[in-house]
Amino acid sequence: MTADLLAPLDLAFWNIESDRHPMHLGALGVFSAHSPTAGAHAADLLAARAAAVPGLRMRIRDVWQPLAFGGAARETDPDFDSLNHVRLHAPTADFHAVAGRLMERPLERGRPPWEAHVLPGEDGVSFAVLFKFHHALADGLRALKLAAGVMDPLDLPERTPRSIEPPRPMLALPDVRRVPELVRGALSDVGRALDIGASVALSALGVSSSSALKSTPTGTRSIAGVDLDIDDVHRVRKAVGGTVNDVLIAVVAGALRRWLEERGDGTDGVAPRALIPVSKRRPRAASPQGNRLSGYLIRLPVDNPDPLARLDRVRTAMVRNKDAGPNRGAGAVALLADHVPALGHRLGGPLVGQAARLWFDILVTSVPLPGLGLRLGGDPLTAVYPLAPLAPGQSLAVAISTYRNQVHYGLVADASAVPDLDVLARAVTDEVDSLIAVCDQ
């Protein structure tokens, strides 16, 4: 039975979890159904195919060995039963409402930490699947790969096999000629860690954030989905410049302003800090299952009443972050996990989780999806709403995906702190319409 130690950031995600703040990612996929029994057929397929995906058989166990004391490792579960992970629910007219309640429940830590919930539609012409993956098992890209493993096979052209280079011999001891280089690297790591720590401290100064983005944890969850036409986003991008991601982030800023104004909350001086995760995963890495994340930290210009000015400020902030790179600045604080020993993660996990509210106010993340159409049991996937976990003390997280010429926003909120999530969802659409109207003038 093979096992591999969790990378430092995976271990951090495993240890900061609590009952009120489960650390699982989610994705709600909606399918067109060829018959009223398509949902039940999909559940059978998922259970049958999951057993053949090695990554779905991996559980996480504690490690108390001397060199990894207090750590954890992934290993194949000898008692794996896919029926413990795939569940068929009663028909529903509201996929998002049911999925919100399911997102509240932490995954069972003694089993491979993932679940697939199949939700048949009452209309008989659609069904949905809610996938949940613990962040210690997979980041967004890895979760996508695991979910794709249980979809219908794609008819793809065969790839030309690549030549494999023979492995290089491993030295038992480091080459003494590299000692100066290693010392310089260690000093550089220390300097980067100090730089990140100072940036985190400075990022909290002079920032105003609405109380609507902060909450006393209740453990309740609600979710909402928003659909946009990617052509509308491109119209704005072509008119004002920047990237598609700049436009999508600016839409979040404008939607928050509209939402707060409809609530009667003030927006003067409100510039919440948004964490924009950045993947540092290398293609064909030796350990693709480990989280390799950094991030950019920007202030969302919620206080600015001009939609084009908001977009310009977001674009400028993103250019500045990209010029600095993902290894420095307050957004790169996740990289500090590499400098903490395993036992430190175990003992300090709860404190680290509570500190998230001091670091950022809202998460805004993008999840890339394949351009090819996916199917399950022959039924086409029509929409995918990515769902991000909530950090302690925060009431809202936003995840964005682009699939088949549509942009899908997945909004996750503390249901008690944000009882009007539908208002925010509507504000996303209104903000895009406003940007298009201004650009067409």
Side-chain angles (χ1 to χ4, degrees):
M1 184 165 52
T2 60
D4 65 291
L5 292 175
L6 294 190
L9 188 54
D10 299 341
L11 187 59
F13 287 136
W14 189 245
N15 284 304
I16 65 177
E17 182 173 60
S18 67
D19 289 341
R20 291 188 173 183
H21 286 93
M23 289 302 299
H24 52 251
L25 311 169
L28 180 66
V30 180
F31 297 80
S32 293
H34 68 278
S35 75
T37 61
H41 179 55
D44 291 339
L45 283 177
L46 290 173
R49 293 173 178 175
V53 179
L56 296 179
R57 303 175 65 92
M58 304 299 286
R59 67 182 181 185
I60 297 175
R61 62 171 178 83
D62 294 335
V63 174
W64 299 103
Q65 298 171 358
L67 295 180
F69 193 77
R74 298 182 191 84
E75 66 178 12
T76 301
D77 183 358
D79 301 318
F80 176 77
D81 183 349
S82 60
L83 294 179
N84 292 326
H85 301 266
V86 179
R87 295 158 194 178
L88 177 64
H89 295 258
T92 177
D94 191 338
F95 296 140
H96 288 91
V98 177
R101 293 191 293 271
L102 292 172
M103 285 294 288
E104 296 177 2
R105 307 175 187 174
L107 295 165
E108 187 169 335
R109 293 168 72 94
R111 295 173 177 165
W114 68 275
E115 292 174 351
H117 297 269
V118 181
L119 313 175
E122 284 186 353
D123 55 12
V125 297
S126 65
F127 66 91
V129 179
L130 172 66
F131 287 102
K132 294 167 56 177
F133 296 97
H134 199 286
H135 219 328
L137 179 70
D139 60 8
L141 294 176
R142 175 68 173 170
L144 173 62
K145 183 176 180 180
L146 292 173
V150 292
M151 296 290 106
D152 291 354
L154 295 174
D155 294 326
L156 299 175
E158 294 185 5
R159 292 183 177 180
T160 302
R162 300 177 60 189
S163 59
I164 302 176
E165 297 182 1
R168 297 181 179 180
M170 298 293 291
L171 296 177
L173 295 174
D175 189 339
V176 294
R177 292 170 295 182
R178 295 189 61 232
V179 169
E181 176 188 341
L182 296 174
V183 171
R184 284 194 300 270
L187 292 176
S188 176
D189 287 344
V190 172
R192 184 164 63 249
L194 292 174
D195 184 25
I196 293 171
S199 298
V200 171
L202 291 173
S203 71
L205 300 178
V207 179
S208 176
S209 178
S210 171
S211 60
L213 297 177
K214 302 175 182 177
S215 68
T216 300
T218 66
T220 59
R221 292 291 182 272
S222 61
I223 70 173
V226 184
D227 304 318
L228 305 178
D229 192 320
I230 190 63
D231 290 339
D232 290 339
V233 178
H234 281 300
R235 285 174 64 186
V236 176
R237 179 190 61 81
K238 292 177 180 178
V240 300
T243 68
V244 167
N245 202 40
D246 294 340
V247 177
L248 298 178
I249 295 171
V251 166
V252 174
L256 288 174
R257 179 180 177 86
R258 293 170 180 272
W259 174 58
L260 293 174
E261 288 178 335
E262 187 158 342
R263 277 184 156 211
D265 295 344
T267 57
D268 290 344
V270 174
R273 295 159 299 176
L275 177 64
I276 316 294
V278 176
S279 176
K280 290 175 62 65
R281 183 187 300 282
R282 292 178 298 177
R284 300 180 181 87
S287 300
Q289 71 274 20
N291 278 280
R292 294 298 303 166
L293 293 173
S294 181
Y296 299 143
L297 197 68
I298 71 170
R299 298 186 185 185
L300 296 181
V302 173
D303 54 345
N304 196 311
D306 183 348
L308 291 185
R310 287 194 295 268
L311 177 51
D312 183 67
R313 285 174 58 179
V314 167
R315 182 174 60 242
T316 300
M318 289 299 288
V319 168
R320 186 169 57 248
N321 274 291
K322 291 173 184 176
D323 287 343
N327 293 326
R328 289 188 177 275
V333 72
L335 299 179
L336 297 181
D338 292 340
H339 301 275
V340 179
L343 188 59
H345 281 294
R346 182 175 294 274
L347 298 178
L351 294 176
V352 171
Q354 293 298 325
R357 71 179 72 190
L358 303 176
W359 172 25
F360 64 96
D361 302 300
I362 183 173
L363 177 73
V364 182
T365 183
S366 296
V367 181
L369 294 176
L372 298 173
L374 298 175
R375 292 175 177 269
L376 181 57
D379 296 315
L381 176 65
T382 59
V384 183
Y385 303 95
L387 306 171
L390 280 183
Q394 295 172 347
S395 60
L396 182 67
V398 180
I400 311 167
S401 67
T402 302
Y403 177 73
R404 306 291 282 176
N405 299 318
Q406 292 285 310
V407 177
H408 304 291
Y409 280 78
L411 311 179
V412 178
D414 184 292
S416 297
V418 186
D420 54 349
L421 190 61
D422 60 321
V423 176
L424 178 59
R426 186 172 65 249
V428 171
T429 302
D430 292 343
E431 180 64 13
V432 174
D433 293 340
S434 176
L435 279 168
I436 291 174
V438 172
C439 291
D440 287 346
Q441 290 179 355

